Amino acid sequence: MESSTVCPLIASILLVPLSGITTASAQLALVHEPPLNEPLEKYDNPPAAPRKMETSPRMISQFGLFTSYQVNVDANHQNILGDAANECVIAVDPTDGNKMTIAWRQFNDVTSNFRQGGWGYTTDAGITWTFPGVLQNNVFRSDPVTQSNEVGQFFYLSLQSDSQQSFYCDDLWRSTNGGQTWTEQSPDRSAGGDKAWLAIDKTNGPAHGFQYQAYDGANCAFTSAAFQRSTNGGVTWQSPVVIPNSPEWGTLDVDTNGNVFVGGWTGGTGFRCVRSSNAQIGGQTPSFDRNTAVNLGGSLLYLGAINPGGIVGQPFLAIDHSGGATNNNIYMLDSVVPSGRSTTDVMFVRSTDGGLTFSTPHKINDDPVNPSKWHWFGTFAVAPNGRLDAVWYDSRNAANNTDSQLFYSWSTDAGVTWAPNVPVTNLFNPFEGYPNQNKIGDYITIVSDNTGGNVAYSATFNFNPNSGQHEEDVYYVRVSPPGGGTPTPTPTASPTPTSTATATPTSTATATATPTATSTATPTATATPTVTPPPTATPTSTPRATPTPRSGPSARPRPTPAPRP
């Protein structure tokens, strides 16, 4: 999701000094409500000029028993100085947990906001990553989403726009080799819109393999927030259906009976969970037969002091597929601003009756209420055995109230209670490394298995001596409850990718360590160790593998968009 400084704002939910945006004081900051049905995407810079690539050692950041591995590295597994990467999403092969892919917004140079569809893959459970290039060279892309199906194929949904902002459309890509290479599955401009999310039906019902996406009001069809379905694996998409109450920026999921649920924000403190029970019937036009208001205990925050150019949290919806007593429970989580505050808490609700009703909101971050502290970019996943894993950025241990670190908690009783919070990473400054855009993206993600969770997040651990600032990079870390047992990865050689229009990566470097994410440390807030990267060599000029150019999307006539309210 991209922010535009020229977009009108519907309302301000708090009017207080702007100084809160640039200071770490306890004063309330200016809090805006994002514009509904307005494009947040902005194509504001052309691609950066070509430059000589300089590198430094990749970052491996240790915090207690948790190890974070840098993902956006060059072909030689080195950090790329001067670029930026954020807004990262992870997918895991359910047939082989060693294989994962992470997609992100790639800024080749922080002097330009021009972003492209970056991604990396691993075959050794996240110890080493390969970044072959971008989906298409010099094609503006954003809002990445990844998913995997039950046989281990990966899918990458990517937003496109142009310099005139004449369209906001998605296309879908597929990988059958663990994320090493991608093939465009759907035609350009065939579906989607700004901040789309994707779900795949993995049941054994009539809709097995159907794909669904939901997105906001800046979209390819010029409608309000809408829903689209593909019955052939994402090759073609049926006409969009407007979603009642226009819930935006939330994810969607499919229960074990094939019902599709969409969660999202509708303005102010309003959130919704809507259901389509007939989207699984290919011969019928999807409709929504259940529409429930959800109280998440606060408001969605845009232009907050911690992420000045973007969203501070967005709603995530996920469903229990465990087959046990909690099967088909519906869960929603978001980092929201409680009444009377300008900072956020991570709030959670659940439904045990198919979305008819939801519980009262439960605060997951367990530190005492402090109006100066942030708990932001909250996200979560449901493990196959029903355990819930939640992660978020947290500033409770920062003397300046804004430096943040990843925190983790889990629940084994359907979210009724949550484990004491555990810090997972070192503190980092979220304000550095901006690529002409004052944000570190709009979200992070996690995918869980029966013993733990695989997390993709952005942080600024690397220091760029050329700019005198830290850089935004993408990291992978494994989390799990104490005693849960983290599987030991089996490092394997990266097979040579098949020939496609993308770059061919070099052989994968030897793994340096086995990630151990099981923590037994007491989660009491303590002084945070300083990041200790590998010895930083003097930047050297290292040519980066150049992806083979792929032609951009062909020009197609589009109707003039109707004026937006």
Side-chain angles (χ1 to χ4, degrees):
M1 184 189 306
E2 305 307 319
S3 301
S4 167
T5 56
V6 299
C7 284
L9 297 174
I10 290 180
S12 295
I13 47 182
L14 289 175
L15 295 176
V16 289
L18 276 169
S19 59
I21 291 182
T22 57
T23 70
S25 72
Q27 295 180 345
L28 296 181
L30 184 66
V31 179
H32 287 300
E33 185 174 309
L36 281 166
N37 294 322
E38 289 285 344
L40 294 182
E41 178 67 44
K42 185 172 181 177
Y43 184 127
D44 48 5
N45 291 144
R51 64 184 176 92
K52 182 179 292 185
M53 291 297 153
E54 293 182 290
T55 63
S56 62
R58 69 163 179 162
M59 174 61 69
I60 300 175
S61 179
Q62 192 73 36
F63 183 86
L65 297 177
F66 297 97
T67 308
S68 292
Y69 295 92
Q70 187 179 351
V71 176
N72 61 316
V73 292
D74 74 356
N76 296 315
H77 303 280
Q78 298 290 296
N79 172 56
I80 304 164
L81 289 170
D83 74 340
N86 59 39
E87 215 157 272
C88 39
V89 284
I90 188 169
V92 181
D93 183 343
T95 69
D96 182 354
N98 289 326
K99 297 177 181 178
M100 293 178 274
T101 190
I102 294 176
W104 63 83
R105 304 187 314 158
Q106 172 64 24
F107 301 79
N108 284 345
D109 195 308
V110 293
T111 62
S112 172
N113 280 341
F114 189 85
R115 48 258 189 211
Q116 302 177 78
W119 92 92
Y121 69 89
T122 180
T123 60
D124 59 9
I127 297 173
T128 52
W129 291 83
T130 298
F131 169 26
V134 295
L135 290 179
Q136 291 174 304
N137 279 328
N138 293 328
V139 173
F140 181 91
R141 292 187 173 277
S142 193
D143 289 358
V145 179
T146 57
Q147 278 283 357
S148 61
N149 62 16
E150 74 282 359
V151 297
Q153 294 180 344
F154 291 145
F155 296 87
Y156 187 146
L157 188 67
S158 177
L159 176 69
Q160 279 196 59
S161 188
D162 63 3
S163 58
Q164 292 78 38
Q165 297 179 229
S166 62
F167 67 90
Y168 298 93
C169 302
D170 295 325
D171 46 47
L172 186 78
W173 298 66
R174 184 181 69 159
S175 174
T176 59
N177 57 7
Q180 296 179 60
T181 57
W182 298 86
T183 301
E184 189 169 5
Q185 188 87 335
S186 62
D188 288 334
R189 307 189 197 183
S190 60
D194 185 75
K195 196 50 252 138
W197 288 98
L198 178 70
I200 301 174
D201 188 312
K202 302 171 188 176
T203 71
N204 293 321
H208 176 81
F210 283 14
Q211 297 194 11
Y212 308 103
Q213 56 175 296
Y215 42 83
D216 68 31
N219 58 58
C220 214
F222 308 112
T223 68
S224 298
F227 171 88
Q228 267 184 290
R229 173 182 67 186
S230 173
T231 61
N232 56 11
V235 176
T236 59
W237 293 85
Q238 297 171 347
S239 298
V241 176
V242 172
I243 306 174
N245 292 98
S246 293
E248 296 187 343
W249 304 335
T251 59
L252 63 167
D253 203 354
V254 183
D255 72 12
T256 58
N257 298 316
N259 299 306
V260 182
F261 291 83
V262 181
W265 173 75
T266 57
T269 60
F271 295 86
R272 288 270 165 179
C273 174
V274 298
R275 181 188 76 176
S276 176
S277 58
N278 76 333
Q280 62 186 302
I281 304 174
Q284 295 185 14
T285 299
S287 59
F288 295 92
D289 56 353
R290 184 164 293 168
N291 185 344
T292 304
V294 178
N295 174 18
L296 272 166
S299 305
L300 188 143
L301 177 57
Y302 174 59
L303 300 183
I306 198 70
N307 200 37
I311 304 297
V312 177
Q314 57 181 281
F316 285 84
L317 177 148
I319 296 175
D320 185 301
H321 301 111
S322 64
T326 58
N327 191 61
N328 285 337
N329 279 4
I330 304 167
Y331 306 113
M332 291 182 66
L333 177 148
D334 196 3
S335 291
V336 299
V337 183
S339 177
R341 293 254 304 277
S342 65
T343 56
T344 46
D345 285 327
V346 181
M347 305 298 290
F348 169 87
V349 295
R350 68 184 175 279
S351 174
T352 60
D353 57 12
L356 281 171
T357 61
F358 281 82
S359 65
T360 57
H362 179 96
K363 182 168 76 76
I364 296 178
N365 53 284
D366 59 7
D367 53 328
V369 173
N370 184 332
S372 301
K373 301 299 183 179
W374 292 90
H375 315 88
W376 55 296
F377 274 17
T379 187
F380 81 111
V382 186
N385 60 9
R387 189 193 66 256
L388 304 176
D389 293 316
V391 292
W392 64 94
Y393 292 158
D394 198 303
S395 72
R396 72 179 72 177
N397 291 329
N400 64 5
N401 297 323
T402 55
D403 282 359
S404 299
Q405 61 192 138
L406 192 73
F407 263 69
Y408 169 55
S409 183
W410 64 94
S411 173
T412 57
D413 59 8
V416 176
T417 60
W418 288 81
N421 300 173
V422 177
V424 175
T425 70
N426 293 285
L427 285 161
F428 64 90
N429 181 348
F431 301 136
E432 292 193 307
Y434 291 151
N436 280 350
Q437 186 186 59
N438 296 334
K439 60 191 288 189
I440 194 168
D442 288 307
Y443 49 86
I444 59 176
T445 54
I446 180 173
V447 172
S448 294
D449 53 46
N450 282 338
T451 58
N454 301 289
V455 184
Y457 71 102
S458 295
T460 59
F461 299 139
N462 275 312
F463 182 75
N464 183 347
N466 297 332
S467 67
Q469 282 201 344
H470 292 81
E471 300 187 317
E472 291 183 359
D473 293 303
V474 173
Y475 291 89
Y476 165 82
V477 66
R478 171 85 180 176
V479 298
S480 63
T486 302
T488 300
T490 304
T492 54
S494 298
T496 303
T498 55
S499 177
T500 67
T502 60
T504 301
T506 60
S507 58
T508 301
T510 303
T512 58
T514 300
T516 304
T518 302
S519 174
T520 56
T522 303
T524 305
T526 58
T528 304
T530 304
V531 177
T532 306
T536 302
T538 301
T540 57
S541 299
T542 303
R544 178 182 172 189
T546 303
T548 304
R550 173 188 172 117
S551 59
S554 57
R556 302 185 187 184
R558 297 288 304 169
T560 301
R564 298 188 181 276

